[in-house]
Amino acid sequence: MISQLPAFDNFPSSAPRYPNLWIFVSKELAKNYNEALEFAIKRLEESIDMIDDYGYFHTAEGCDAVGRRRGLQYIELGEKGEWSHDHSLHLRFYTHYVKQQPPMNMEGKECFAISISVHYEVDRPSRLHPYVDECPICGCTDEYSQYYQEEYHNRSSKQKNECMHDPMGVEAILWGTVKGKPIPLIDGLHVHENNYEMHLEIFPKSALKEDMDTGNIGIVLFKGKKVS
């Protein structure tokens, strides 16, 4: 699957990282690209409650549209609560290039590709956005402690963006978890396995092509409706 994905230089130069979530919708479920995009949006709305600002034109980071799920996993941190914050899932849709391409063959199905850049981060208060390194939910803790960089304490860095918040976003959207623990209020795209024939898989950095500058890539394939 990874080998079939387009090269990064097909996307806008202002896109900071390779899209790390690819949703494939078969022709059994959508007759054209616009129907496939609408299908993917509805499944995201149903599973992660993505409702905030998708559909408005955005130029940020070269994307075509943006979606969010805010108000997740509020945590109180600091002696006086000075590091307390909530989290958000942030999605940037890159549809311009892939919309012009022919459908791709995935597991014998002709599919339309929806490419998205996703990450999980500190949301509010805005002064703490996007990182609190000590946060046990989204910070440089547990299996992510190896990515702590003193010179980027509580600030963005290329390493942390690629190796922490991108993979956390993929995990959250596919499985409704971060660091293997459930996120209250969302479910993840896997819940649609009740109604659709699906394949979900996360490919690690070691499996990616050289120009895929992100920690992993999630693939979600909607093959068709389940027959009851």
Side-chain angles (χ1 to χ4, degrees), residues 51-59 63-67:
I51 57 174
D52 180 18
D53 61 46
Y54 183 84
Y56 294 90
F57 179 75
H58 289 262
T59 57
C63 70
D64 301 296
V66 172

PDB file of all heavy atoms in Angstrom, residues 51-59 63-67:
ATOM      1  N   ILE A  51     -16.348  18.367  13.762  1.00  0.00           N
ATOM      2  CA  ILE A  51     -17.367  19.315  13.310  1.00  0.00           C
ATOM      3  C   ILE A  51     -16.821  20.724  13.145  1.00  0.00           C
ATOM      4  O   ILE A  51     -17.439  21.540  12.473  1.00  0.00           O
ATOM      5  CB  ILE A  51     -18.560  19.366  14.290  1.00  0.00           C
ATOM      6  CG1 ILE A  51     -18.079  19.719  15.701  1.00  0.00           C
ATOM      7  CG2 ILE A  51     -19.306  18.033  14.306  1.00  0.00           C
ATOM      8  CD1 ILE A  51     -19.207  19.929  16.699  1.00  0.00           C
ATOM      9  N   ASP A  52     -15.680  21.041  13.734  1.00  0.00           N
ATOM     10  CA  ASP A  52     -15.206  22.418  13.793  1.00  0.00           C
ATOM     11  C   ASP A  52     -14.407  22.796  12.560  1.00  0.00           C
ATOM     12  O   ASP A  52     -13.344  22.273  12.318  1.00  0.00           O
ATOM     13  CB  ASP A  52     -14.348  22.613  15.056  1.00  0.00           C
ATOM     14  CG  ASP A  52     -13.810  24.024  15.184  1.00  0.00           C
ATOM     15  OD1 ASP A  52     -14.340  24.919  14.529  1.00  0.00           O
ATOM     16  OD2 ASP A  52     -12.848  24.212  15.923  1.00  0.00           O
ATOM     17  N   ASP A  53     -14.852  23.658  11.786  1.00  0.00           N
ATOM     18  CA  ASP A  53     -14.319  24.365  10.633  1.00  0.00           C
ATOM     19  C   ASP A  53     -13.898  23.560   9.418  1.00  0.00           C
ATOM     20  O   ASP A  53     -13.207  24.075   8.562  1.00  0.00           O
ATOM     21  CB  ASP A  53     -13.265  25.411  11.000  1.00  0.00           C
ATOM     22  CG  ASP A  53     -11.993  24.957  11.681  1.00  0.00           C
ATOM     23  OD1 ASP A  53     -11.339  23.986  11.307  1.00  0.00           O
ATOM     24  OD2 ASP A  53     -11.655  25.651  12.609  1.00  0.00           O
ATOM     25  N   TYR A  54     -14.370  22.339   9.263  1.00  0.00           N
ATOM     26  CA  TYR A  54     -14.189  21.691   7.960  1.00  0.00           C
ATOM     27  C   TYR A  54     -15.124  22.365   6.949  1.00  0.00           C
ATOM     28  O   TYR A  54     -16.251  22.710   7.249  1.00  0.00           O
ATOM     29  CB  TYR A  54     -14.507  20.181   7.979  1.00  0.00           C
ATOM     30  CG  TYR A  54     -14.232  19.591   6.618  1.00  0.00           C
ATOM     31  CD1 TYR A  54     -12.952  19.191   6.272  1.00  0.00           C
ATOM     32  CD2 TYR A  54     -15.224  19.563   5.642  1.00  0.00           C
ATOM     33  CE1 TYR A  54     -12.679  18.749   5.001  1.00  0.00           C
ATOM     34  CE2 TYR A  54     -14.958  19.123   4.374  1.00  0.00           C
ATOM     35  CZ  TYR A  54     -13.687  18.713   4.055  1.00  0.00           C
ATOM     36  OH  TYR A  54     -13.397  18.295   2.789  1.00  0.00           O
ATOM     37  N   GLY A  55     -14.626  22.531   5.732  1.00  0.00           N
ATOM     38  CA  GLY A  55     -15.445  23.115   4.686  1.00  0.00           C
ATOM     39  C   GLY A  55     -15.133  24.571   4.410  1.00  0.00           C
ATOM     40  O   GLY A  55     -15.527  25.100   3.378  1.00  0.00           O
ATOM     41  N   TYR A  56     -14.399  25.235   5.304  1.00  0.00           N
ATOM     42  CA  TYR A  56     -13.966  26.594   5.054  1.00  0.00           C
ATOM     43  C   TYR A  56     -12.619  26.573   4.351  1.00  0.00           C
ATOM     44  O   TYR A  56     -11.772  25.727   4.608  1.00  0.00           O
ATOM     45  CB  TYR A  56     -13.852  27.380   6.360  1.00  0.00           C
ATOM     46  CG  TYR A  56     -15.189  27.604   7.037  1.00  0.00           C
ATOM     47  CD1 TYR A  56     -15.682  26.687   7.950  1.00  0.00           C
ATOM     48  CD2 TYR A  56     -15.961  28.712   6.730  1.00  0.00           C
ATOM     49  CE1 TYR A  56     -16.919  26.874   8.560  1.00  0.00           C
ATOM     50  CE2 TYR A  56     -17.196  28.915   7.342  1.00  0.00           C
ATOM     51  CZ  TYR A  56     -17.660  27.989   8.245  1.00  0.00           C
ATOM     52  OH  TYR A  56     -18.877  28.176   8.834  1.00  0.00           O
ATOM     53  N   PHE A  57     -12.400  27.528   3.480  1.00  0.00           N
ATOM     54  CA  PHE A  57     -11.148  27.577   2.744  1.00  0.00           C
ATOM     55  C   PHE A  57     -10.019  27.976   3.678  1.00  0.00           C
ATOM     56  O   PHE A  57     -10.132  28.929   4.432  1.00  0.00           O
ATOM     57  CB  PHE A  57     -11.255  28.578   1.592  1.00  0.00           C
ATOM     58  CG  PHE A  57      -9.986  28.706   0.808  1.00  0.00           C
ATOM     59  CD1 PHE A  57      -9.608  27.708  -0.086  1.00  0.00           C
ATOM     60  CD2 PHE A  57      -9.159  29.795   0.977  1.00  0.00           C
ATOM     61  CE1 PHE A  57      -8.431  27.811  -0.805  1.00  0.00           C
ATOM     62  CE2 PHE A  57      -7.987  29.913   0.251  1.00  0.00           C
ATOM     63  CZ  PHE A  57      -7.623  28.918  -0.637  1.00  0.00           C
ATOM     64  N   HIS A  58      -8.935  27.237   3.623  1.00  0.00           N
ATOM     65  CA  HIS A  58      -7.751  27.531   4.422  1.00  0.00           C
ATOM     66  C   HIS A  58      -6.521  27.459   3.522  1.00  0.00           C
ATOM     67  O   HIS A  58      -6.422  26.590   2.668  1.00  0.00           O
ATOM     68  CB  HIS A  58      -7.576  26.503   5.547  1.00  0.00           C
ATOM     69  CG  HIS A  58      -8.583  26.630   6.634  1.00  0.00           C
ATOM     70  ND1 HIS A  58      -8.335  27.301   7.809  1.00  0.00           N
ATOM     71  CD2 HIS A  58      -9.858  26.182   6.734  1.00  0.00           C
ATOM     72  CE1 HIS A  58      -9.413  27.253   8.585  1.00  0.00           C
ATOM     73  NE2 HIS A  58     -10.346  26.575   7.947  1.00  0.00           N
ATOM     74  N   THR A  59      -5.593  28.348   3.770  1.00  0.00           N
ATOM     75  CA  THR A  59      -4.313  28.272   3.072  1.00  0.00           C
ATOM     76  C   THR A  59      -3.207  27.821   4.013  1.00  0.00           C
ATOM     77  O   THR A  59      -2.076  27.623   3.583  1.00  0.00           O
ATOM     78  CB  THR A  59      -3.926  29.648   2.484  1.00  0.00           C
ATOM     79  OG1 THR A  59      -3.888  30.618   3.541  1.00  0.00           O
ATOM     80  CG2 THR A  59      -4.932  30.084   1.439  1.00  0.00           C
ATOM     81  N   CYS A  63      -2.996  23.449   2.865  1.00  0.00           N
ATOM     82  CA  CYS A  63      -4.123  22.508   2.828  1.00  0.00           C
ATOM     83  C   CYS A  63      -5.325  23.112   2.123  1.00  0.00           C
ATOM     84  O   CYS A  63      -5.402  24.318   1.885  1.00  0.00           O
ATOM     85  CB  CYS A  63      -4.493  22.060   4.231  1.00  0.00           C
ATOM     86  SG  CYS A  63      -5.250  23.336   5.250  1.00  0.00           S
ATOM     87  N   ASP A  64      -6.291  22.257   1.807  1.00  0.00           N
ATOM     88  CA  ASP A  64      -7.523  22.681   1.147  1.00  0.00           C
ATOM     89  C   ASP A  64      -8.665  22.897   2.127  1.00  0.00           C
ATOM     90  O   ASP A  64      -9.618  23.612   1.822  1.00  0.00           O
ATOM     91  CB  ASP A  64      -7.935  21.637   0.109  1.00  0.00           C
ATOM     92  CG  ASP A  64      -6.845  21.438  -0.926  1.00  0.00           C
ATOM     93  OD1 ASP A  64      -6.548  22.400  -1.657  1.00  0.00           O
ATOM     94  OD2 ASP A  64      -6.277  20.333  -0.991  1.00  0.00           O
ATOM     95  N   ALA A  65      -8.607  22.273   3.271  1.00  0.00           N
ATOM     96  CA  ALA A  65      -9.640  22.428   4.297  1.00  0.00           C
ATOM     97  C   ALA A  65      -9.112  21.871   5.609  1.00  0.00           C
ATOM     98  O   ALA A  65      -8.126  21.129   5.638  1.00  0.00           O
ATOM     99  CB  ALA A  65     -10.927  21.725   3.895  1.00  0.00           C
ATOM    100  N   VAL A  66      -9.778  22.252   6.693  1.00  0.00           N
ATOM    101  CA  VAL A  66      -9.323  21.887   8.042  1.00  0.00           C
ATOM    102  C   VAL A  66     -10.492  21.340   8.851  1.00  0.00           C
ATOM    103  O   VAL A  66     -11.623  21.806   8.716  1.00  0.00           O
ATOM    104  CB  VAL A  66      -8.726  23.108   8.766  1.00  0.00           C
ATOM    105  CG1 VAL A  66      -8.422  22.802  10.232  1.00  0.00           C
ATOM    106  CG2 VAL A  66      -7.447  23.574   8.082  1.00  0.00           C
ATOM    107  N   GLY A  67     -10.225  20.365   9.684  1.00  0.00           N
ATOM    108  CA  GLY A  67     -11.208  19.866  10.638  1.00  0.00           C
ATOM    109  C   GLY A  67     -10.563  19.719  11.996  1.00  0.00           C
ATOM    110  O   GLY A  67      -9.340  19.558  12.098  1.00  0.00           O
TER     111      GLY A  67
END
